[in-house]
Amino acid sequence: MRFASYEYRDRRRQVAVVEADGTLYPLPGVDSLTGLLAEGGGLPELLDAGSAKLDVPAGPHVSEVRLLPPLQPPTVRDFVTFEEHVEGIRRSVDGAAGVPEQWYAAPTFYFTNPYAVYGPHDDIPVPPGSSVLDFELEVAAVIGKEGRDLTPEQARDHIVGYTVFNDWSARDLQSAEMRVGLGPCKGKDTATTLGPYLVTADELEKYRDEDGFLRLALTAEINGEVVGKDLLSNMSWTFEEMTAYASRGTWVRPGDVLGSGTCGNGGCLAELWGVRGRRDPAPLRPGDTVTLTVEGIGSVSNTVVTGPGPVSLPVARRRPRERP
């Protein structure tokens, strides 16, 4: 089953089941998929809620509405699970070869900004102060019921579905601030695309390989030209293993989003820059349209637009370090 959040005519937010032909069936009394998930129960309850479409008339076609992010997540964890991406990025950032040994120990992630989520066709403003904008092609799992200290086997029941994830990255801001040692901050803080739909986990089971990975084709295009192609099954950890790690010593809760990390073979520009030794293709500019497609889930297509300039702040003041 596929769920969409959208605005139509009166601009009221609605949630609907999406049929194969693109017809929307609004769910009565539901205006937030996050809220629906928060009611608990996981995938069976979500599918039950979706069956309510049988009792309502058809709504508009998906082409007639403004699609919103499928949900507004309370938290967004973004992992880094593709070895090829790590190789290319490391070469691009500091010229080093290979993958740090520590990367193999666990599926590392960082928290990104849940207040900066854009819909599948929204314009994306250039982050203030950036001139080196990049996309990142990912898939995200969505948590459907809470849990902590989960095993990977238990975690499967906590994943309710999947969506396409574009982790927009200001590479110049990211490179400068990571020298402080705190990880990506403003370089990853202003835009994340989710969409076009939340596809329930049962829909994608037919793509699961014998090792537990979802074998989905991934494609990235800029202005209609393909720049990257990969398979989601090239991840080094499954989503269940990622969920188990995310829940270690803490909670995952309904609506939480877990990004796969960027795929390899052109899943972002910075990886290609590292492989080629030059900025080819060039960083994204206003007017460029990035389209990311994931087999079994759909496509998101966003156009870059001019963003606001940065508000000026002083550099750090050197204080006398007085003591009371």
Side-chain angles (χ1 to χ4, degrees), residues 141-179:
V142 178
I143 299 300
K145 64 178 181 179
E146 73 174 21
R148 69 177 288 152
D149 294 311
L150 301 171
T151 66
E153 292 72 26
Q154 293 169 332
R156 181 166 296 189
D157 290 335
H158 291 257
I159 296 173
V160 74
Y162 300 88
T163 191
V164 182
F165 184 116
N166 187 346
D167 174 33
W168 299 89
S169 301
R171 297 300 187 193
D172 44 355
L173 304 184
Q174 178 188 4
S175 178
E177 64 198 3
M178 287 187 72
R179 295 190 186 105

Side-chain angles (χ1 to χ4, degrees), residues 12-87:
R12 181 169 56 89
R13 182 185 296 267
Q14 299 181 74
V15 175
V17 173
V18 188
E19 288 293 278
D21 64 357
T23 302
L24 295 166
Y25 284 82
L27 300 184
V30 180
D31 60 7
S32 168
L33 187 55
T34 309
L36 183 60
L37 293 175
E39 294 177 7
L43 181 58
E45 282 69 15
L46 181 61
L47 294 175
D48 285 346
S51 67
K53 76 180 181 64
L54 301 174
D55 302 319
V56 298
H61 190 270
V62 69
S63 64
E64 302 176 280
V65 305
R66 178 196 170 204
L67 284 175
L68 303 171
L71 73 163
Q72 290 293 331
T75 69
V76 183
R77 296 171 176 87
D78 196 8
F79 288 73
V80 54
T81 68
F82 288 83
E83 186 178 30
E84 186 175 10
H85 170 72
V86 177
E87 287 178 340

Side-chain angles (χ1 to χ4, degrees), residues 12 29 126-127 148 159 179-180 185 292 311 313 318:
R12 181 169 56 89
V126 176
R148 69 177 288 152
I159 296 173
R179 295 190 186 105
V180 179
C185 305
L292 307 182
V311 174
L313 294 173
R318 295 191 179 274

Side-chain angles (χ1 to χ4, degrees), residues 152-153 156 205 207-215 232-241:
E153 292 72 26
R156 181 166 296 189
E205 277 302 306
Y207 296 99
R208 195 177 293 277
D209 67 18
E210 60 185 14
D211 296 318
F213 293 89
L214 297 174
R215 195 177 191 277
L232 187 63
S233 51
N234 286 329
M235 296 166 63
S236 291
W237 289 273
T238 66
F239 280 105
E240 290 79 10
E241 290 162 345

Side-chain angles (χ1 to χ4, degrees), residues 215-293:
R215 195 177 191 277
L216 307 178
L218 313 174
T219 306
E221 301 172 68
I222 301 176
N223 301 328
E225 180 180 349
V226 174
V227 296
K229 295 177 79 79
D230 201 5
L231 289 171
L232 187 63
S233 51
N234 286 329
M235 296 166 63
S236 291
W237 289 273
T238 66
F239 280 105
E240 290 79 10
E241 290 162 345
M242 292 156 55
T243 301
Y245 187 68
S247 74
R248 184 182 293 179
T250 188
W251 293 92
V252 291
R253 290 202 159 105
D256 286 352
V257 163
L258 280 63
S260 64
T262 309
C263 68
N265 195 39
C268 70
L269 295 177
E271 178 209 324
L272 294 175
W273 299 339
V275 171
R276 297 172 180 176
R278 62 188 186 279
R279 285 185 178 173
D280 175 27
L284 299 171
R285 295 286 185 265
D288 287 338
T289 297
V290 176
T291 302
L292 307 182
T293 301

